[in-house]
Every structure is written in structure tokens, then in C-alpha cells.
Amino acid sequence: MAFFKAAKKEQHNEKQPEALTKEMLFNVDRLKEAFSYPINHALQMRELYLPFYKKRLMAFSIEGTIDANIVDEHIIDPLLRNTGPSIEADANFVTTIMKSVLTTGNAKDISTFSDAIKDLLNGNTILIIDGEAKAISIDTAKFENRSVAEPSTETVIKGPKAAFIESVAINRSLLRKQLRDPNLMCEFAEIGEHAPQQVSIMYLKNIADPSIVEDVKKRLNKIRTDSIITLSTLEQHIEERPYSIIPSTLETERPDRTVAFLQEGHVVLLMENSPTALVVPITFWSLFHTVEDQYLRMAYGNFIRMIRFISLLLALFTPSFYIAVTTYHSEMIPTDLMLAITASRERIPFPIFFEILIMEVTFEILREAGVRVPNTLGTTIGIVGALILGQAAVQANLVSPILVIIVAITGLASFTIPDISMNIAVRMLRFTFLFVTFFLGFFGFSITLAFLIAYLVSIKSFGVPFLAPLSPHFPSSKDLLLRPPAWKQWLRPFSTSPKDKVRSPKPEGNAES
């Protein structure tokens, strides 16, 4: 271990940035070498001669990353047509070109090869000038992106229809469009040793807890890997409990939901190539709520929340509850129902546990198949496959009809869980309860539930308790299982330690209160 640490430290010390020189040909050869030119045809070069200044320069760019119109209109044409101003012998030629010749304001001077390579990969155009130890880097980036569309996983009937795309600049624009606040901060962190990627750290300066922001920055700075392409991979590097099935971060594809988190003091991470935003810290209520809960009137939103909460309990406990009752506690079932269940199982060769296990695994296979097959066939396979397999299994006396109903209700209930990470966690916990109740009945069910609740109370996400502000209790607007009217939600959750804890002055009441 000491050897690897020493080798890593030595390697880190050796990576000193190499400076550009005044010899243009040397600088050009170094850039060619860095991009394996001419084997690699991605590097594009154009040699120019400026007759007024009697200078030669080379323009470098990477194919597929630049806007050719910007390069021609704001860089090449001004350089070739320029007839002034004259430059004195002691003047800075690079600065004069940036300020007086180029017609774009997105230009800067760089002095190392590492900066030149990084800017080229980010879509900049680099000008190497003969006799100058500095180069000019102009922002000409134009990567291909799809247009802003509707959310595909977090759909709503009422509310905005825009969703994030794979362009981080457009994603930041979508956030600023909805949250026009000068306190909305955007800082950058670079991750990845060989293929660096930029992470945008966004938060509200007047609300977010500085300790949470610093914690996020420290975790990003500690990442040591070749490259991280998407937020989904980044999430696994900064999460607190990599072996836990309970998530400690949240991904959302909705800008309006992201803005709601920002206004409560959360920190948001954005990356190129990721059509989602990563939100930290989170609580159970972050995973349980949907954005539509706030768009609907209080009574409607609370009704949907109660349906979702009941569905969560059904998805988690129904199969294990059925096993515990029929196997160990049959006296809890009415006699007529017990006789009907027994009659339906007369010709079933398997115990109830294996019967449920077969159906649950089959349902999970159908669910996964519906996701992986083409969209035109996914719904057909899911519905027709479930009907055909369920009916065939009953007719073949492999499962009882009541079990098909139980598994179907459990599967449908799991689809109401809005967050995909929480959805998978509930499905995995369902199998845990299934095995425990098969061996220990309601006793094992109760012990496992107690351990689960104790675990949820004990864990934290970036220093925030997972069940806060319910347990431990923190002052809040009580937007938990049920929500109050919108005009009563004047207090931000104290669990995230926001600087400004009040959204607006406490209401004195309305006409009806």
C-alpha cells in the first residue's frame, strides 16, 4: 500500500504543466503529438499569415466540437481583413489581438499545453502565434444536442413540460429561466485524471448551508479516477453508503423540481452528457414526494399522496403478509376465505413461499423485459405476457388464482413510487421480508420492520438525517405525509440548516382561517 501511495505521489509531482514557447513550430508539433496527428484526423489546423503585422499563426480546433460560422465570421475574417491598429515593439501582441481584432468577447490567453489541450477538447479554437509564448483560446463550442422535450419518467398532468437534456449549458439555462435570482451560484469542479469533465455546482448563496456546499466540494475533489462520463457514475463516487440499498442522492429530469430543491437549501450538480440533475442532501420525503403534489390543490394533492403511501405499504408488505397469515396465523383469516384459499391450493405442488417466489421473479423478468425491448413492443410484452403467463400458470396448477391477484396488486403498487432508486429499494426489501416471514412468521416480520425503521432513523445524507424533519424533529412547514395549503408553507425545513429559514413572513391567516 505504501508503495502505491508513493508511486501515486511521485506521478502527481511529475505532472508539471509544460509552458508554450515562442517557437510556433515547436508548439504545433507538441499539439500534433498530443492528438496523434496525422493518424488521428480529429485535429483540424489552418495556417494564416497576417500581412499587416507580418506574423504567422496556426488555428487549431477539434472536429465536431466547434461552430464553423463563429470561427469564420469572428476569428478568421477579422484577422485577414484587419489593417490596424499598429502595435509598438513593447506592446502585448496577444492582448491587442483579443481586444482590437477579434469580434468575439469569449477569448482568453493561455500559456501551457495542458490548457490548450483541455480547451480544444471543450470546443475552443486555439491560435498559436509565431514569436509569442502565449496562445489565444476562443470559445467556439457547438456540440450536437437534442432539443428540449417533455420528461419521460417524471410525467405530470399539470405543470411545466420541459425536461433536462444532455447539454449542461442548456440545463443551467432552464434553471435560470425558472429561478431568476442573483443569489443562484454556479461553481465548477473538474473530475477525472485522463479525460477531465466539468461539474457545475449550483446553490442559492443566501439559503444553502455553507458546510453542505463545502462537503460536496471536498467529495468531488477526493475523486480519483480516469474519467466520469455521467452524473449516475458521479453519484456512486460521492454517496455515503455504497453498500446500502437506501439511496443518499436523488436524480431528477425536471427543472421545476430542481428549483424547488434549490429554494429549500439543497445543492444541485449538473454535468455534460447527463439529462438529469443530482440533488444533495435528500430525505425520505424527497423520494416520496412528486412535483405534481404542489401543483394540485391541497385536497387533491393529499389524496394522491395517501394513495401513494398505501401503495408503498402494499408493494413492500403484501406478499410477506400473505405468507405469514396463511402459514403461521391462519386464525386471522375468516373461515370462508380460508376455505377458499385452501381449495384453490389443493392441486398446487409447491409451498406458498415457492409459489410467491416464482410469481415475483417472473413479474420482475417481465418488468425488465418491458424496459429493454423496443418502445413499440414494451407495453405489449408487459400486459400480454403477464396475462398469458398468469392464466397458463393457474391452469397448469403451478400457482393459485389468489396469488396471481396478490402479485399483480403488489406490482401495480410498486409503479406508484416516483423515484427509481426508491422503487428498486422497495422491491429488494420486499424479497427480504418474504424470506424472513417464511421462516419466522409475524415475529420475523416485526423484528425486520423494527430494524428497518431503526436503520432509516440512524442514516444521514450529507449530514442531514434521512427521516428529518419528522425524526429527529426539526421545525418545518409540515410538508411530509400530507401538505398544508401553499400559503402556509412559509418555513423551510430546518434539517438542511438554511441560512434564510423563512420563505416569506408568517401569514396572519386568510379570509377562511
Side-chain angles (χ1 to χ4, degrees):
M1 183 63 72
F3 170 77
F4 288 112
K5 288 183 178 179
K8 191 172 184 180
K9 184 176 180 181
E10 182 180 353
Q11 183 181 11
H12 179 73
N13 292 334
E14 289 177 356
K15 291 182 179 180
Q16 298 297 331
E18 185 180 354
L20 295 168
T21 68
K22 292 186 177 182
E23 295 293 332
M24 187 183 75
L25 293 179
F26 177 81
N27 296 336
V28 169
D29 289 339
R30 280 289 290 111
L31 286 179
K32 287 182 179 180
E33 180 184 352
F35 287 94
S36 302
Y37 184 87
I39 299 175
N40 180 13
H41 293 278
L43 185 65
Q44 297 179 332
M45 297 177 295
R46 182 171 179 178
E47 185 174 1
L48 302 174
Y49 178 73
L50 309 182
F52 184 79
Y53 300 113
K54 297 180 181 180
K55 288 269 192 180
R56 289 189 307 143
L57 63 82
M58 291 285 292
F60 287 88
S61 61
I62 300 296
E63 179 187 13
T65 66
I66 62 168
D67 187 336
N69 292 328
I70 294 179
V71 174
D72 291 338
E73 295 177 8
H74 298 282
I75 301 176
I76 303 300
D77 287 349
L79 286 172
L80 294 179
R81 295 177 182 178
N82 182 63
T83 58
S86 61
I87 302 175
E88 298 178 2
D90 58 345
N92 190 326
F93 183 82
V94 171
T95 303
T96 303
I97 290 294
M98 288 193 298
K99 290 184 176 181
S100 304
V101 178
L102 300 178
T103 58
T104 176
N106 300 323
K108 63 180 180 179
D109 61 86
I110 54 177
S111 57
T112 64
F113 285 105
S114 60
D115 288 339
I117 293 170
K118 181 180 69 175
D119 287 357
L120 281 171
L121 293 173
N122 288 331
N124 287 20
T125 297
I126 304 297
L127 301 181
I128 303 290
I129 304 171
D130 191 18
E132 299 293 332
K134 288 184 178 181
I136 301 175
S137 175
I138 307 104
D139 184 4
T140 56
K142 185 183 178 183
F143 294 92
E144 293 299 325
N145 296 299
R146 61 186 176 94
S147 58
V148 177
E150 294 189 14
S152 58
T153 57
E154 297 178 82
T155 56
V156 295
I157 299 175
K158 192 173 184 179
K161 305 298 182 182
F164 289 126
I165 64 171
E166 287 77 9
S167 170
V168 69
I170 294 178
N171 292 345
R172 290 196 298 262
S173 174
L174 290 173
L175 292 180
R176 294 190 181 278
K177 179 183 177 181
Q178 297 197 26
L179 187 58
R180 305 185 184 188
D181 190 334
N183 292 302
L184 180 57
M185 304 293 293
C186 180
E187 300 184 29
F188 298 112
E190 201 169 80
I191 55 176
E193 302 291 337
H194 293 171
Q197 287 278 358
Q198 195 177 71
V199 180
S200 299
I201 308 170
M202 303 191 72
Y203 60 93
L204 283 172
K205 180 178 63 175
N206 62 327
I207 297 177
D209 183 8
S211 63
I212 294 179
V213 177
E214 287 302 317
D215 187 17
V216 173
K217 293 179 183 177
K218 287 180 181 178
R219 297 188 190 208
L220 292 174
N221 291 331
K222 288 181 180 178
I223 296 176
R224 293 292 179 266
T225 185
D226 288 347
S227 64
I228 294 179
I229 306 301
T230 64
L231 279 175
S232 300
T233 307
L234 176 65
E235 173 188 7
Q236 300 174 51
H237 283 270
I238 66 173
E239 64 181 350
E240 298 189 20
R241 303 174 302 276
Y243 298 103
S244 173
I245 64 173
I246 305 299
S248 56
T249 59
L250 180 147
E251 280 193 68
T252 177
E253 61 176 348
R254 298 189 60 90
D256 52 340
R257 191 181 184 197
T258 306
V259 167
F261 281 117
L262 286 169
Q263 291 177 322
E264 288 193 345
H266 296 259
V267 179
V268 171
L269 303 180
L270 300 174
M271 268 185 70
E272 200 74 42
N273 307 317
S274 295
T276 56
L278 187 65
V279 181
V280 296
I282 63 163
T283 61
F284 168 79
W285 315 106
S286 305
L287 302 170
F288 176 72
H289 295 167
T290 66
V291 66
E292 203 169 26
D293 295 345
Q294 295 291 340
Y295 293 149
L296 296 173
R297 295 180 64 240
M298 181 194 69
Y300 308 156
N302 286 337
F303 173 75
I304 291 177
R305 279 194 185 178
M306 288 307 301
I307 294 297
R308 196 183 309 127
F309 182 71
I310 293 172
S311 300
L312 174 64
L313 298 180
L314 289 175
L316 189 58
F317 299 135
T318 302
S320 55
F321 190 86
Y322 176 74
I323 282 186
V325 169
T326 54
T327 305
Y328 295 94
H329 310 282
S330 56
E331 67 278 1
M332 297 177 61
I333 307 177
T335 304
D336 293 341
L337 179 59
M338 189 64 201
L339 290 175
I341 294 174
T342 305
S344 66
R345 298 199 69 259
E346 282 184 355
R347 302 179 63 183
I348 306 300
F350 306 112
I352 292 179
F353 172 74
F354 292 104
E355 196 179 348
I356 290 184
L357 194 61
I358 290 172
M359 289 300 296
E360 286 288 349
V361 172
T362 303
F363 193 89
E364 293 296 330
I365 292 174
L366 284 172
R367 185 201 298 260
E368 188 67 15
V371 173
R372 303 303 167 197
V373 298
N375 292 336
T376 54
L377 300 176
T379 305
T380 305
I381 287 180
I383 297 175
V384 176
L387 291 174
I388 292 176
L389 286 177
Q391 183 65 25
V394 171
Q395 292 181 351
N397 294 321
L398 294 177
V399 296
S400 58
I402 191 172
L403 189 61
V404 175
I405 297 174
I406 288 174
V407 173
I409 291 174
T410 303
L412 288 174
S414 68
F415 285 117
T416 65
I417 302 172
D419 185 79
I420 185 172
S421 298
M422 193 65 179
N423 185 299
I424 297 175
V426 168
R427 286 153 58 188
M428 294 174 67
L429 285 170
R430 181 167 70 237
F431 282 98
T432 302
F433 278 98
L434 202 62
F435 279 95
V436 172
T437 51
F438 172 66
F439 290 106
L440 299 174
F442 268 128
F443 176 76
F445 179 91
S446 303
I447 294 297
T448 306
L449 181 59
F451 273 107
L452 175 61
I453 294 175
Y455 176 69
L456 295 179
V457 171
S458 66
I459 61 178
K460 294 182 178 181
S461 170
F462 290 78
V464 176
F466 187 68
L467 291 184
L470 178 64
S471 177
H473 174 73
F474 287 94
S476 68
S477 293
K478 298 180 174 60
D479 181 17
L480 302 175
L481 186 59
L482 300 176
R483 76 168 182 87
W487 55 271
K488 276 192 175 182
Q489 299 181 39
W490 58 276
L491 200 63
R492 293 187 175 89
F494 282 33
S495 53
T496 55
S497 303
K499 288 182 181 179
D500 186 4
K501 296 178 170 56
V502 180
R503 288 193 177 95
S504 60
K506 182 178 180 180
E508 298 296 333
N510 59 7
E512 298 180 359
S513 60

